Structures are given as structure tokens and as C-alpha cells.
PDB file of all heavy atoms in Angstrom:
ATOM      1  N   ALA S   1     -46.249  18.126  39.202  1.00  0.00           N
ATOM      2  CA  ALA S   1     -47.693  17.978  39.013  1.00  0.00           C
ATOM      3  C   ALA S   1     -48.135  16.613  39.528  1.00  0.00           C
ATOM      4  O   ALA S   1     -48.550  15.726  38.779  1.00  0.00           O
ATOM      5  CB  ALA S   1     -48.061  18.154  37.552  1.00  0.00           C
ATOM      6  N   ASP S   2     -48.022  16.442  40.858  1.00  0.00           N
ATOM      7  CA  ASP S   2     -48.542  15.263  41.542  1.00  0.00           C
ATOM      8  C   ASP S   2     -49.705  15.730  42.402  1.00  0.00           C
ATOM      9  O   ASP S   2     -49.523  16.578  43.295  1.00  0.00           O
ATOM     10  CB  ASP S   2     -47.478  14.618  42.431  1.00  0.00           C
ATOM     11  CG  ASP S   2     -46.327  14.007  41.645  1.00  0.00           C
ATOM     12  OD1 ASP S   2     -46.395  13.989  40.397  1.00  0.00           O
ATOM     13  OD2 ASP S   2     -45.359  13.541  42.279  1.00  0.00           O
ATOM     14  N   LEU S   3     -50.906  15.204  42.141  1.00  0.00           N
ATOM     15  CA  LEU S   3     -52.115  15.686  42.802  1.00  0.00           C
ATOM     16  C   LEU S   3     -52.998  14.527  43.222  1.00  0.00           C
ATOM     17  O   LEU S   3     -53.006  13.469  42.588  1.00  0.00           O
ATOM     18  CB  LEU S   3     -52.929  16.602  41.864  1.00  0.00           C
ATOM     19  CG  LEU S   3     -52.268  17.814  41.233  1.00  0.00           C
ATOM     20  CD1 LEU S   3     -51.609  17.443  39.914  1.00  0.00           C
ATOM     21  CD2 LEU S   3     -53.299  18.897  40.978  1.00  0.00           C
ATOM     22  N   THR S   4     -53.750  14.755  44.299  1.00  0.00           N
ATOM     23  CA  THR S   4     -54.771  13.816  44.731  1.00  0.00           C
ATOM     24  C   THR S   4     -56.099  14.557  44.812  1.00  0.00           C
ATOM     25  O   THR S   4     -56.138  15.695  45.303  1.00  0.00           O
ATOM     26  CB  THR S   4     -54.434  13.208  46.105  1.00  0.00           C
ATOM     27  OG1 THR S   4     -53.162  12.560  46.022  1.00  0.00           O
ATOM     28  CG2 THR S   4     -55.477  12.188  46.525  1.00  0.00           C
ATOM     29  N   VAL S   5     -57.160  13.919  44.329  1.00  0.00           N
ATOM     30  CA  VAL S   5     -58.487  14.546  44.319  1.00  0.00           C
ATOM     31  C   VAL S   5     -59.443  13.690  45.141  1.00  0.00           C
ATOM     32  O   VAL S   5     -59.625  12.499  44.857  1.00  0.00           O
ATOM     33  CB  VAL S   5     -59.025  14.704  42.886  1.00  0.00           C
ATOM     34  CG1 VAL S   5     -60.382  15.413  42.912  1.00  0.00           C
ATOM     35  CG2 VAL S   5     -58.029  15.482  42.021  1.00  0.00           C
ATOM     36  N   PHE S   6     -60.035  14.305  46.164  1.00  0.00           N
ATOM     37  CA  PHE S   6     -60.998  13.634  47.035  1.00  0.00           C
ATOM     38  C   PHE S   6     -62.399  14.180  46.805  1.00  0.00           C
ATOM     39  O   PHE S   6     -62.566  15.365  46.507  1.00  0.00           O
ATOM     40  CB  PHE S   6     -60.639  13.866  48.508  1.00  0.00           C
ATOM     41  CG  PHE S   6     -59.315  13.293  48.925  1.00  0.00           C
ATOM     42  CD1 PHE S   6     -58.223  14.115  49.141  1.00  0.00           C
ATOM     43  CD2 PHE S   6     -59.158  11.924  49.098  1.00  0.00           C
ATOM     44  CE1 PHE S   6     -57.001  13.601  49.541  1.00  0.00           C
ATOM     45  CE2 PHE S   6     -57.942  11.388  49.498  1.00  0.00           C
ATOM     46  CZ  PHE S   6     -56.861  12.229  49.713  1.00  0.00           C
ATOM     47  N   ALA S   7     -63.390  13.338  47.014  1.00  0.00           N
ATOM     48  CA  ALA S   7     -64.775  13.806  46.965  1.00  0.00           C
ATOM     49  C   ALA S   7     -65.073  14.742  48.129  1.00  0.00           C
ATOM     50  O   ALA S   7     -65.870  15.681  47.995  1.00  0.00           O
ATOM     51  CB  ALA S   7     -65.732  12.624  46.980  1.00  0.00           C
ATOM     52  N   LEU S   8     -64.413  14.499  49.278  1.00  0.00           N
ATOM     53  CA  LEU S   8     -64.627  15.314  50.477  1.00  0.00           C
ATOM     54  C   LEU S   8     -63.368  16.104  50.810  1.00  0.00           C
ATOM     55  O   LEU S   8     -62.261  15.716  50.436  1.00  0.00           O
ATOM     56  CB  LEU S   8     -65.023  14.432  51.657  1.00  0.00           C
ATOM     57  CG  LEU S   8     -66.269  13.566  51.474  1.00  0.00           C
ATOM     58  CD1 LEU S   8     -66.512  12.711  52.713  1.00  0.00           C
ATOM     59  CD2 LEU S   8     -67.484  14.435  51.174  1.00  0.00           C
ATOM     60  N   ASP S   9     -63.554  17.179  51.563  1.00  0.00           N
ATOM     61  CA  ASP S   9     -62.453  18.069  51.900  1.00  0.00           C
ATOM     62  C   ASP S   9     -61.764  17.595  53.180  1.00  0.00           C
ATOM     63  O   ASP S   9     -62.376  17.609  54.252  1.00  0.00           O
ATOM     64  CB  ASP S   9     -63.010  19.486  52.097  1.00  0.00           C
ATOM     65  CG  ASP S   9     -61.927  20.500  52.440  1.00  0.00           C
ATOM     66  OD1 ASP S   9     -60.744  20.121  52.526  1.00  0.00           O
ATOM     67  OD2 ASP S   9     -62.280  21.683  52.634  1.00  0.00           O
ATOM     68  N   PRO S  10     -60.506  17.191  53.119  1.00  0.00           N
ATOM     69  CA  PRO S  10     -59.834  16.690  54.328  1.00  0.00           C
ATOM     70  C   PRO S  10     -59.648  17.737  55.412  1.00  0.00           C
ATOM     71  O   PRO S  10     -59.412  17.384  56.573  1.00  0.00           O
ATOM     72  CB  PRO S  10     -58.481  16.207  53.797  1.00  0.00           C
ATOM     73  CG  PRO S  10     -58.263  16.967  52.533  1.00  0.00           C
ATOM     74  CD  PRO S  10     -59.617  17.155  51.942  1.00  0.00           C
ATOM     75  N   LEU S  11     -59.764  19.016  55.060  1.00  0.00           N
ATOM     76  CA  LEU S  11     -59.562  20.066  56.052  1.00  0.00           C
ATOM     77  C   LEU S  11     -60.852  20.555  56.703  1.00  0.00           C
ATOM     78  O   LEU S  11     -60.794  21.318  57.672  1.00  0.00           O
ATOM     79  CB  LEU S  11     -58.835  21.260  55.424  1.00  0.00           C
ATOM     80  CG  LEU S  11     -57.434  20.992  54.876  1.00  0.00           C
ATOM     81  CD1 LEU S  11     -56.767  22.289  54.450  1.00  0.00           C
ATOM     82  CD2 LEU S  11     -56.566  20.248  55.892  1.00  0.00           C
ATOM     83  N   SER S  12     -62.007  20.116  56.209  1.00  0.00           N
ATOM     84  CA  SER S  12     -63.255  20.631  56.777  1.00  0.00           C
ATOM     85  C   SER S  12     -64.200  19.545  57.280  1.00  0.00           C
ATOM     86  O   SER S  12     -64.949  19.777  58.234  1.00  0.00           O
ATOM     87  CB  SER S  12     -63.985  21.519  55.761  1.00  0.00           C
ATOM     88  OG  SER S  12     -64.399  20.771  54.632  1.00  0.00           O
ATOM     89  N   VAL S  13     -64.189  18.354  56.692  1.00  0.00           N
ATOM     90  CA  VAL S  13     -65.109  17.312  57.170  1.00  0.00           C
ATOM     91  C   VAL S  13     -64.486  16.598  58.363  1.00  0.00           C
ATOM     92  O   VAL S  13     -63.271  16.638  58.580  1.00  0.00           O
ATOM     93  CB  VAL S  13     -65.465  16.299  56.063  1.00  0.00           C
ATOM     94  CG1 VAL S  13     -66.076  16.999  54.874  1.00  0.00           C
ATOM     95  CG2 VAL S  13     -64.250  15.476  55.646  1.00  0.00           C
ATOM     96  N   GLY S  14     -65.294  15.924  59.131  1.00  0.00           N
ATOM     97  CA  GLY S  14     -64.802  15.167  60.270  1.00  0.00           C
ATOM     98  C   GLY S  14     -63.908  14.027  59.840  1.00  0.00           C
ATOM     99  O   GLY S  14     -64.059  13.486  58.733  1.00  0.00           O
ATOM    100  N   PRO S  15     -62.955  13.628  60.691  1.00  0.00           N
ATOM    101  CA  PRO S  15     -62.007  12.577  60.293  1.00  0.00           C
ATOM    102  C   PRO S  15     -62.652  11.233  59.997  1.00  0.00           C
ATOM    103  O   PRO S  15     -62.221  10.540  59.070  1.00  0.00           O
ATOM    104  CB  PRO S  15     -61.042  12.505  61.481  1.00  0.00           C
ATOM    105  CG  PRO S  15     -61.700  13.224  62.600  1.00  0.00           C
ATOM    106  CD  PRO S  15     -62.621  14.223  61.993  1.00  0.00           C
ATOM    107  N   ASP S  16     -63.675  10.848  60.758  1.00  0.00           N
ATOM    108  CA  ASP S  16     -64.348   9.578  60.452  1.00  0.00           C
ATOM    109  C   ASP S  16     -64.984   9.628  59.073  1.00  0.00           C
ATOM    110  O   ASP S  16     -64.962   8.642  58.317  1.00  0.00           O
ATOM    111  CB  ASP S  16     -65.411   9.273  61.505  1.00  0.00           C
ATOM    112  CG  ASP S  16     -64.820   8.799  62.823  1.00  0.00           C
ATOM    113  OD1 ASP S  16     -64.002   7.867  62.800  1.00  0.00           O
ATOM    114  OD2 ASP S  16     -65.165   9.372  63.866  1.00  0.00           O
ATOM    115  N   GLU S  17     -65.573  10.757  58.740  1.00  0.00           N
ATOM    116  CA  GLU S  17     -66.200  10.913  57.426  1.00  0.00           C
ATOM    117  C   GLU S  17     -65.149  10.924  56.319  1.00  0.00           C
ATOM    118  O   GLU S  17     -65.320  10.291  55.267  1.00  0.00           O
ATOM    119  CB  GLU S  17     -67.026  12.202  57.401  1.00  0.00           C
ATOM    120  CG  GLU S  17     -67.849  12.380  56.143  1.00  0.00           C
ATOM    121  CD  GLU S  17     -68.678  13.661  56.146  1.00  0.00           C
ATOM    122  OE1 GLU S  17     -68.544  14.463  57.108  1.00  0.00           O
ATOM    123  OE2 GLU S  17     -69.455  13.860  55.184  1.00  0.00           O
ATOM    124  N   PHE S  18     -64.044  11.634  56.557  1.00  0.00           N
ATOM    125  CA  PHE S  18     -63.006  11.698  55.525  1.00  0.00           C
ATOM    126  C   PHE S  18     -62.416  10.317  55.239  1.00  0.00           C
ATOM    127  O   PHE S  18     -62.052  10.020  54.092  1.00  0.00           O
ATOM    128  CB  PHE S  18     -61.891  12.660  55.929  1.00  0.00           C
ATOM    129  CG  PHE S  18     -60.751  12.669  54.946  1.00  0.00           C
ATOM    130  CD1 PHE S  18     -60.937  13.178  53.666  1.00  0.00           C
ATOM    131  CD2 PHE S  18     -59.520  12.133  55.277  1.00  0.00           C
ATOM    132  CE1 PHE S  18     -59.897  13.147  52.740  1.00  0.00           C
ATOM    133  CE2 PHE S  18     -58.487  12.098  54.358  1.00  0.00           C
ATOM    134  CZ  PHE S  18     -58.672  12.612  53.088  1.00  0.00           C
ATOM    135  N   ALA S  19     -62.319   9.469  56.250  1.00  0.00           N
ATOM    136  CA  ALA S  19     -61.755   8.133  56.052  1.00  0.00           C
ATOM    137  C   ALA S  19     -62.531   7.335  55.008  1.00  0.00           C
ATOM    138  O   ALA S  19     -61.991   6.397  54.414  1.00  0.00           O
ATOM    139  CB  ALA S  19     -61.718   7.380  57.374  1.00  0.00           C
ATOM    140  N   GLU S  20     -63.795   7.705  54.784  1.00  0.00           N
ATOM    141  CA  GLU S  20     -64.635   7.015  53.796  1.00  0.00           C
ATOM    142  C   GLU S  20     -64.760   7.789  52.486  1.00  0.00           C
ATOM    143  O   GLU S  20     -65.513   7.388  51.600  1.00  0.00           O
ATOM    144  CB  GLU S  20     -66.034   6.791  54.384  1.00  0.00           C
ATOM    145  CG  GLU S  20     -66.049   5.963  55.655  1.00  0.00           C
ATOM    146  CD  GLU S  20     -65.550   4.546  55.423  1.00  0.00           C
ATOM    147  OE1 GLU S  20     -65.799   4.012  54.325  1.00  0.00           O
ATOM    148  OE2 GLU S  20     -64.892   3.995  56.327  1.00  0.00           O
ATOM    149  N   SER S  21     -64.023   8.888  52.355  1.00  0.00           N
ATOM    150  CA  SER S  21     -64.154   9.728  51.157  1.00  0.00           C
ATOM    151  C   SER S  21     -63.702   8.995  49.900  1.00  0.00           C
ATOM    152  O   SER S  21     -62.602   8.426  49.867  1.00  0.00           O
ATOM    153  CB  SER S  21     -63.319  11.001  51.300  1.00  0.00           C
ATOM    154  OG  SER S  21     -63.326  11.742  50.091  1.00  0.00           O
ATOM    155  N   PRO S  22     -64.492   8.995  48.842  1.00  0.00           N
ATOM    156  CA  PRO S  22     -64.000   8.455  47.572  1.00  0.00           C
ATOM    157  C   PRO S  22     -62.796   9.247  47.057  1.00  0.00           C
ATOM    158  O   PRO S  22     -62.686  10.458  47.283  1.00  0.00           O
ATOM    159  CB  PRO S  22     -65.197   8.607  46.629  1.00  0.00           C
ATOM    160  CG  PRO S  22     -66.387   8.694  47.529  1.00  0.00           C
ATOM    161  CD  PRO S  22     -65.913   9.405  48.762  1.00  0.00           C
ATOM    162  N   VAL S  23     -61.877   8.551  46.419  1.00  0.00           N
ATOM    163  CA  VAL S  23     -60.789   9.193  45.692  1.00  0.00           C
ATOM    164  C   VAL S  23     -61.235   9.332  44.247  1.00  0.00           C
ATOM    165  O   VAL S  23     -61.562   8.347  43.586  1.00  0.00           O
ATOM    166  CB  VAL S  23     -59.489   8.370  45.779  1.00  0.00           C
ATOM    167  CG1 VAL S  23     -58.406   8.975  44.895  1.00  0.00           C
ATOM    168  CG2 VAL S  23     -59.017   8.285  47.226  1.00  0.00           C
ATOM    169  N   GLU S  24     -61.282  10.561  43.774  1.00  0.00           N
ATOM    170  CA  GLU S  24     -61.756  10.816  42.412  1.00  0.00           C
ATOM    171  C   GLU S  24     -60.658  10.642  41.363  1.00  0.00           C
ATOM    172  O   GLU S  24     -60.918  10.189  40.244  1.00  0.00           O
ATOM    173  CB  GLU S  24     -62.313  12.246  42.315  1.00  0.00           C
ATOM    174  CG  GLU S  24     -63.414  12.567  43.310  1.00  0.00           C
ATOM    175  CD  GLU S  24     -64.756  12.008  42.878  1.00  0.00           C
ATOM    176  OE1 GLU S  24     -64.818  11.347  41.831  1.00  0.00           O
ATOM    177  OE2 GLU S  24     -65.746  12.231  43.593  1.00  0.00           O
ATOM    178  N   LEU S  25     -59.412  11.006  41.757  1.00  0.00           N
ATOM    179  CA  LEU S  25     -58.355  11.070  40.749  1.00  0.00           C
ATOM    180  C   LEU S  25     -57.009  11.117  41.462  1.00  0.00           C
ATOM    181  O   LEU S  25     -56.901  11.696  42.551  1.00  0.00           O
ATOM    182  CB  LEU S  25     -58.517  12.344  39.923  1.00  0.00           C
ATOM    183  CG  LEU S  25     -57.944  12.443  38.516  1.00  0.00           C
ATOM    184  CD1 LEU S  25     -58.737  11.570  37.553  1.00  0.00           C
ATOM    185  CD2 LEU S  25     -57.998  13.901  38.044  1.00  0.00           C
ATOM    186  N   THR S  26     -55.989  10.492  40.882  1.00  0.00           N
ATOM    187  CA  THR S  26     -54.615  10.811  41.244  1.00  0.00           C
ATOM    188  C   THR S  26     -53.862  11.136  39.961  1.00  0.00           C
ATOM    189  O   THR S  26     -54.099  10.540  38.909  1.00  0.00           O
ATOM    190  CB  THR S  26     -53.902   9.664  41.983  1.00  0.00           C
ATOM    191  OG1 THR S  26     -53.865   8.508  41.150  1.00  0.00           O
ATOM    192  CG2 THR S  26     -54.586   9.342  43.296  1.00  0.00           C
ATOM    193  N   VAL S  27     -52.968  12.100  40.087  1.00  0.00           N
ATOM    194  CA  VAL S  27     -52.161  12.561  38.958  1.00  0.00           C
ATOM    195  C   VAL S  27     -50.699  12.484  39.378  1.00  0.00           C
ATOM    196  O   VAL S  27     -50.327  12.988  40.443  1.00  0.00           O
ATOM    197  CB  VAL S  27     -52.521  14.003  38.559  1.00  0.00           C
ATOM    198  CG1 VAL S  27     -51.608  14.513  37.456  1.00  0.00           C
ATOM    199  CG2 VAL S  27     -53.986  14.083  38.122  1.00  0.00           C
ATOM    200  N   VAL S  28     -49.878  11.829  38.572  1.00  0.00           N
ATOM    201  CA  VAL S  28     -48.456  11.709  38.839  1.00  0.00           C
ATOM    202  C   VAL S  28     -47.701  12.221  37.618  1.00  0.00           C
ATOM    203  O   VAL S  28     -47.948  11.771  36.494  1.00  0.00           O
ATOM    204  CB  VAL S  28     -48.060  10.248  39.130  1.00  0.00           C
ATOM    205  CG1 VAL S  28     -46.553  10.131  39.363  1.00  0.00           C
ATOM    206  CG2 VAL S  28     -48.826   9.714  40.340  1.00  0.00           C
ATOM    207  N   ASP S  29     -46.814  13.195  37.865  1.00  0.00           N
ATOM    208  CA  ASP S  29     -46.015  13.745  36.772  1.00  0.00           C
ATOM    209  C   ASP S  29     -46.899  14.312  35.664  1.00  0.00           C
ATOM    210  O   ASP S  29     -46.571  14.237  34.479  1.00  0.00           O
ATOM    211  CB  ASP S  29     -45.080  12.672  36.219  1.00  0.00           C
ATOM    212  CG  ASP S  29     -43.888  13.258  35.486  1.00  0.00           C
ATOM    213  OD1 ASP S  29     -43.479  14.385  35.815  1.00  0.00           O
ATOM    214  OD2 ASP S  29     -43.356  12.594  34.574  1.00  0.00           O
TER     215      ASP S  29
END
């Protein structure tokens, strides 16, 4: 259960836009 949560979708938004995406959450173990 290691997860990363982004405000933007890395698979659908443009790469320049994704580079500025806020990180909402990380979960480790």
C-alpha cells in the first residue's frame, strides 16, 4: 500500500502542466 495522489492526471494532462501538479498525498506501507 504505497500510493501517490496528484491533483492532475499524469496520463491525460500535458507534461508541462503535470510538472506543476500539486501532490495531494503520499502513502507508505
Side-chain angles (χ1 to χ4, degrees):
D2 293 355
L3 305 88
T4 302
V5 182
F6 297 106
L8 302 178
D9 181 0
L11 298 187
S12 65
V13 302
D16 285 309
E17 187 179 5
F18 175 68
E20 301 296 326
S21 174
V23 174
E24 304 281 2
L25 204 71
T26 60
V27 176
V28 178
D29 202 28

